[in-house]
Amino acid sequence: MNINKVTIHDIAKALNINSSTVSRALNDSPRVTKKTKEKILKVAQEMGYQRNLLASNLRKNVTNTIGVVVPRISRHFFSSVIQGIEETAYQAGFSVIICQSLEQLEREKNILETLAANRVDGVLISISMETMDYEHLEGLKNRGIPLVFFDRHCNIPGTNNVLIDDFKGGYDATQHLITKGCKNIVHFSGPQELEIYKNRFRGYKEALKKNGIPFRDEYLISSRLMEQDGIDNVKKLLDKGVVFDAIFSANDVAAIGAIKCLIENEIKIPDDVAIVGFSNEPISTVINPTLTTINQPGFEMGKAATDLLIKNIKNETGLLREETLIMDSNLIERQSSQK
């Protein structure tokens, strides 16, 4: 007998009892005596029976599965978030399906459609840099699938968010550079259509304003914040003859590109240009000079987002809660800004 296809009917036949009795025993029904239940469970184990959890869960209209969508799994921050998600989900009896959008809107749409078709109980998502049309996300919400945004979010009423205080992070990074004597501070931003980069930019501007430093349009450079973008951004500044003594980058990856380009052009860091990144990627501690950055508690964010999602999944009222949790961040000073 193929043990992968053992059914309750096979167990019933081996014990010469009704299939319904076997089914009740396997589901721990009180209608079956302890002695009979033990006998059935023993034979089921010997025959290699495995319950069809998917079918069982679908009958209950649940799958005990959570979908997770991140821009890039390779980023340390997102892998830390996933660790927090998986640990919390596992403890609550949920499995996790992890997907990456690779910063592509169409890929993100297809992923969400696939997750919905596979009847996940809820979705955790950090949106891609291309996500400026929210129709696919609103569609998920309208189908009654609980949705929690983490890190990158969009303003959709009735959804839940677990975020870093991006305004404060942007403010702290810029204020730190100002205390080091910097006055011509360039900001490398992601797309300004996304709330996360909009808020980091707002924090940057507020710190300038508080210190009586005027904002200059040429100091805001938006890109996809890849390492090559950091290199290209510095090249553009140098080619245009823009005077700057500091860079606040909205992520570490572009900041590292900037460091490489400045070193190649024999510009001293931090003496000539001080740099602060955002996210505390592991490479920020090993690059020379080491990178000052805003630390994000990825693991804790993953746990909090999962807890919030599971609350909504288990909410029997049918009304999805609307809640936003703001997590604190902190600046870690390293060599790139130590003047």
Side-chain angles (χ1 to χ4, degrees):
M1 183 182 295
N2 185 344
I3 63 170
N4 292 324
K5 294 186 178 179
V6 174
T7 68
I8 60 172
H9 303 291
D10 297 320
I11 299 168
K13 186 177 179 181
L15 290 168
N16 196 27
I17 58 177
N18 292 329
S19 298
S20 57
T21 303
V22 175
S23 178
R24 292 190 190 103
L26 294 174
N27 284 289
D28 200 23
S29 170
R31 296 174 61 184
V32 182
T33 65
K34 183 180 179 182
K35 183 179 179 181
T36 302
K37 197 178 295 182
E38 288 175 350
K39 185 192 297 184
I40 291 170
L41 290 173
K42 183 174 182 293
V43 172
Q45 187 175 18
E46 289 172 352
M47 296 177 69
Y49 172 76
Q50 291 183 327
R51 295 185 62 191
N52 188 337
L53 290 176
L54 178 60
S56 176
N57 285 335
L58 288 177
R59 283 194 293 271
K60 299 173 187 173
N61 203 30
V62 295
T63 60
N64 288 333
T65 304
I66 291 170
V68 179
V69 187
V70 297
R72 291 184 187 276
I73 295 172
S74 60
R75 293 285 167 84
H76 172 72
F77 170 69
F78 289 118
S79 63
S80 297
V81 173
I82 289 169
Q83 283 183 302
I85 290 170
E86 285 203 305
E87 181 173 305
T88 308
Y90 178 79
Q91 290 172 353
F94 285 82
S95 298
V96 177
I97 300 173
I98 300 166
C99 310
Q100 56 179 344
S101 66
L102 299 179
E103 304 287 13
Q104 298 167 20
L105 174 58
E106 284 307 311
R107 186 179 173 110
E108 181 178 281
K109 286 180 178 180
N110 291 334
I111 286 169
L112 289 180
E113 189 58 41
T114 300
L115 291 173
N118 282 277
R119 301 180 70 172
V120 295
D121 295 328
V123 172
L124 297 165
I125 184 170
S126 185
I127 62 174
S128 79
M129 282 197 184
E130 292 183 355
T131 304
M132 294 161 203
D133 170 16
Y134 307 150
E135 187 177 348
H136 60 301
L137 297 162
E138 290 171 336
L140 205 68
K141 172 178 167 282
N142 293 337
R143 289 156 90 166
I145 300 174
L147 181 65
V148 174
F149 294 97
F150 63 91
D151 190 47
R152 299 185 198 167
H153 73 296
C154 50
N155 289 322
I156 299 177
T159 56
N160 297 273
N161 308 288
V162 179
L163 313 171
I164 297 294
D165 191 337
D166 290 299
F167 175 88
K168 178 179 179 294
Y171 181 92
D172 290 348
T174 310
Q175 183 63 37
H176 171 74
L177 290 166
I178 293 170
T179 61
K180 296 296 182 178
C182 303
K183 296 190 186 317
N184 301 301
I185 304 169
V186 172
H187 177 42
F188 291 175
S189 175
Q192 278 294 299
E193 292 82 1
L194 297 186
E195 294 296 321
I196 182 173
Y197 300 118
K198 197 183 296 182
N199 289 331
R200 290 177 189 179
F201 174 54
R202 284 179 50 241
Y204 157 81
K205 284 184 73 176
E206 183 61 27
L208 294 180
K209 181 180 177 183
K210 183 180 177 183
N211 289 275
I213 301 172
F215 166 69
R216 293 167 55 181
D217 289 335
E218 64 265 36
Y219 281 177
L220 173 64
I221 304 177
S222 296
S223 69
R224 294 174 70 88
L225 294 175
M226 302 296 285
E227 185 175 315
Q228 188 60 47
D229 292 313
I231 293 170
D232 292 343
N233 291 345
V234 170
K235 284 181 178 178
K236 288 175 186 174
L237 290 167
L238 296 176
D239 289 345
K240 291 179 180 178
V242 176
V243 176
F244 63 101
D245 57 11
I247 297 171
F248 161 45
S249 175
N251 77 1
D252 285 352
V253 178
I256 287 164
I259 287 174
K260 290 181 177 180
C261 187
L262 289 168
I263 290 172
E264 188 178 307
N265 284 274
E266 299 182 346
I267 296 171
K268 295 178 182 178
I269 306 168
D271 297 345
D272 299 328
V273 177
I275 303 179
V276 176
F278 207 116
S279 73
N280 195 25
E281 293 283 332
I283 194 173
S284 64
T285 64
V286 296
I287 192 169
N288 186 23
T290 55
L291 177 64
T292 297
T293 186
I294 301 293
N295 183 50
Q296 295 176 277
F299 182 81
E300 292 77 9
M301 176 177 278
K303 292 187 70 171
T306 309
D307 281 335
L308 187 55
L309 182 64
I310 291 172
K311 279 183 190 176
N312 275 285
I313 290 171
K314 294 184 175 180
N315 181 11
E316 296 179 357
T317 65
L319 299 173
L320 299 181
R321 303 175 186 180
E322 185 174 355
E323 189 175 349
T324 295
L325 303 178
I326 304 294
M327 307 189 77
D328 200 7
S329 58
N330 64 291
L331 184 138
I332 300 174
E333 182 176 353
R334 298 194 182 108
Q335 295 168 347
S336 68
S337 66
Q338 288 177 343
K339 289 193 175 187

